[in-house]
Amino acid sequence: MTELLERLGGAPGDRALIITCDNLGQSHAANAAIAECLDTGVATAAGLMVPCPWARDAASRFSHTPVGVDLTLNAEFDNYRWGPITQAPSLLDGDGGFPRTPADAWEHSDIDEVHRECRAQIERAGQWGSNLTHLSPHLDTLLMRPEFFAVYLELAAEMKLPIRLGGSDQERRAGFPFRRLAADAGVLVPDHLVQIRGRPVRRTLEEAVENLAPGVTELAVSPAIDTPELRELDPGWLGRVEQYLLVAHDPPLRAAIGRSGARMLSYADLRDAQRQG
C-alpha cells in the first residue's frame, strides 16, 4: 500500500482516482465545459490559470467549488495571448505575452521574477475567493528544471498545498528526484499521473481507468465545449471537445469507473491530509 493511500484511510491494493480538469479560465469554452464536468460528470478537481482572460469569470463561476492553481509561465497559442500579472520583464516574449514554449521560459526567465509571479497567481486566486486545493505546473515548465521546481515546491510547502508531479520516466528526463524532494518537504503528491493529450481520447481514457495501479491516480483532462473561438485559438480543439463529451456526459466511462472499484477523491482530500500532518 502506498503511503499516501494509507494516510487517506485506504487498504492494501485499493485504488483511488482524481479526475482533474485543466485550463480553467483559459477561455469561455473551457469554463463552460468544466462546469458540466464537475456538476454532472465524473470530474472531481480543476486547475485555474490565473493570468488568462477568462480567469475572473471562472473564479466567480466556481466560487463555491474547490479549485487548484495551474501555475502559468507560458501562453502556448500563436494568436491568443496572456502574460504575467506582475508585468515581469523576463517573463514576456516579443509580442507582450508569456513565451510560447517551456524552453523559451527556461532560457529567459529570472528566477526571482518567476517566484514573484507564481506567488502573485496564488494570492490573486485567494483574493478572488477561490478555495484552493493544490498547485500544478502548466506545460510542466515549473517541473523540469531544478531551479524552477524549487519555486514550485517552496510555495506548495508554504501554502500547505499538494502538487502534481509526473512519474519515474519524467523524473529521469528531469534529471533530479523531484518526488523524493516533495516527500522530504511534507508535500503530498498523487502516486500516479495520466495526462490525456491528443487522440484517440475514448480509448486512452478507458484504458487508463481499466488499468489503474494500486494507490492514488490523477487523470488530467482539458475539456472544452465546441465554439468558433475554441476552433480558432487551439489546433487541438477536437480532442478537447471529445474529452468534454466523455467526462461530462458518457455513461460507458462512468460505468468503467464503477467497474474499476476506484474510490473517487479530489485534491481537497489530499490538502486536508497534508494539513493534518
Side-chain angles (χ1 to χ4, degrees), residues 153-173:
L153 185 59
E154 178 185 338
L155 291 170
E158 178 185 340
M159 306 291 181
K160 299 182 179 178
L161 293 171
I163 59 175
R164 173 188 294 171
L165 294 178
S168 57
D169 288 345
Q170 192 172 30
E171 196 171 51
R172 283 192 291 272
R173 292 196 301 274

Side-chain angles (χ1 to χ4, degrees), residues 1-256:
M1 178 166 57
T2 66
E3 180 180 348
L4 175 59
L5 195 58
E6 183 177 11
R7 290 184 65 170
L8 295 170
D14 279 359
R15 294 164 174 80
L17 181 61
I18 301 169
I19 300 180
T20 305
C21 295
D22 287 341
N23 299 332
L24 181 62
Q26 189 184 80
S27 63
H28 176 268
N31 291 0
I34 292 170
E36 290 188 46
C37 290
L38 290 169
D39 290 346
T40 62
V42 295
T44 61
L48 176 65
M49 297 176 66
V50 171
C52 288
W54 283 86
R56 187 65 186 89
D57 171 78
S60 177
R61 184 190 293 251
F62 293 84
S63 60
H64 301 294
T65 303
V67 297
V69 177
D70 196 19
L71 293 169
T72 301
L73 297 172
N74 295 100
E76 59 268 33
F77 300 128
D78 286 339
N79 298 317
Y80 183 55
R81 313 296 293 138
W82 55 85
I85 63 175
T86 58
Q87 305 302 315
S90 77
L91 306 185
L92 291 165
D93 71 358
D95 64 359
F98 282 122
R100 288 175 172 82
T101 67
D104 283 346
W106 295 329
E107 182 176 356
H108 299 295
S109 298
D110 177 88
I111 203 65
D112 290 332
E113 291 187 349
V114 168
H115 190 281
R116 285 193 294 273
E117 174 67 22
C118 291
R119 179 181 294 278
Q121 291 180 23
I122 299 166
E123 290 176 347
R124 180 165 294 182
Q127 291 164 0
W128 284 342
S130 299
N131 179 5
L132 300 182
T133 58
H134 68 283
L135 304 177
S136 56
H138 184 61
L139 301 188
D140 292 335
T141 303
L142 284 167
L143 182 58
M144 300 300 289
R145 293 292 185 275
E147 65 274 22
F148 284 74
F149 179 75
V151 171
Y152 185 37
L153 185 59
E154 178 185 338
L155 291 170
E158 178 185 340
M159 306 291 181
K160 299 182 179 178
L161 293 171
I163 59 175
R164 173 188 294 171
L165 294 178
S168 57
D169 288 345
Q170 192 172 30
E171 196 171 51
R172 283 192 291 272
R173 292 196 301 274
F176 63 98
F178 51 63
R179 282 188 165 264
R180 180 177 61 77
L181 292 170
D184 290 347
V187 173
L188 295 187
V189 180
D191 298 304
H192 317 288
L193 173 65
V194 179
Q195 294 179 291
I196 305 302
R197 294 171 172 167
R199 304 174 69 206
V201 175
R202 176 181 290 278
R203 186 169 72 233
T204 305
L205 275 171
E206 290 181 346
E207 288 180 353
V209 170
E210 291 168 359
N211 296 291
L212 290 175
V216 179
T217 296
E218 180 182 11
L219 181 57
V221 296
S222 301
I225 63 171
D226 188 1
T227 67
E229 176 195 44
L230 180 74
R231 292 186 180 215
E232 289 297 324
L233 70 89
D234 189 347
W237 66 269
L238 181 56
R240 295 183 63 182
V241 173
E242 290 177 344
Q243 291 178 46
Y244 151 65
L245 293 172
L246 289 166
V247 174
H249 298 295
D250 191 60
L253 178 61
R254 187 182 294 273

